Amino acid sequence: MPTVGIVMGSDSDMPVMKKAAETLESLGIDFEMRIISAHREPELFFSYARKAEERGIKILIAGAGMAAHLPGMCAALFPLPVIGIPMHTTSLGGRDSLYSIVQMPSGIPVATVAINGGTNAALLAARMLAISDAALRERLKEYSSKLEAQVKEKDDRLAQVGYRDYE
Ligand code: RP5
C-alpha cells in the first residue's frame, strides 16, 4: 500500500519527478507514480485525487509546468498535505509554474519547493512522515550526515592542493 502518491501532468515532467521517486525509494518509503493531466483528463484526475485518502495515501507530491493547476487542484480534493514541484519551462523559465503553484489563495495550502525540486519534495514528504516514524527519522539523519561528509570531503581536497589555510 503506497504512502505517497507522486502525480505529474505530463511525461515531460518525468526527469524531475524521477528524482522524487528515487529519493523516496532510498529512504524506504512506499509510493506510487502516475501521469494524470488535470486539464486533459479532468474526470480521471478528479477520481484519483478524491480516492487517494481512502486508498491510504498520506501525502501527494504533484509536479506541473506552465499554468500549473495540478497541485492546487490536488489540495482542493485531497485533505492531507500536498507538495508542489514547479517545472522549469522554456518560455518563462519556470516562473510561470512557480507562481501558479506557490500563490495558492488562503484556505487551500500547497507546500511549494524550488523549480525542478524533485529531491526536496521527497525529503519534505519524508520529514512529514517522520513526525510519527522514529526509524524514518533516523534514516533522514543519516542522509543529512552523508551530505555533510560529502562537503567535508570536497573541502579536504582543496586543503590537499594548498588552498585551505583555516581548519
Ligand atoms: C503541464 O504542462 C505538464 O505538467 C507539463 O509540465 C506542461 C507541458 O506538458 P506537455 O505539453 O509537455 O505534455 O500539464
Side-chain angles (χ1 to χ4, degrees), residues 17-95:
M17 303 311 283
K18 204 170 148 233
K19 287 188 200 160
E22 286 167 355
T23 304
L24 291 177
E25 196 149 28
S26 74
L27 290 165
I29 298 169
D30 286 339
F31 66 92
E32 65 179 9
M33 188 150 70
R34 298 288 307 261
I35 300 167
I36 303 175
S37 169
H39 56 276
R40 291 169 179 148
E41 306 173 292
E43 305 295 342
L44 173 62
F45 170 74
F46 258 70
S47 151
Y48 177 78
R50 274 200 201 284
K51 286 189 185 145
E53 181 194 7
E54 70 188 45
R55 292 180 49 242
I57 300 283
K58 300 279 186 290
I59 299 170
L60 284 176
I61 295 176
M66 304 174 79
H69 37 259
L70 182 82
M73 284 306 295
C74 282
L77 295 162
F78 175 71
L80 293 169
V82 174
I83 300 170
I85 310 177
M87 293 298 139
H88 185 266
T89 56
T90 48
S91 44
L92 294 172
R95 289 173 198 80

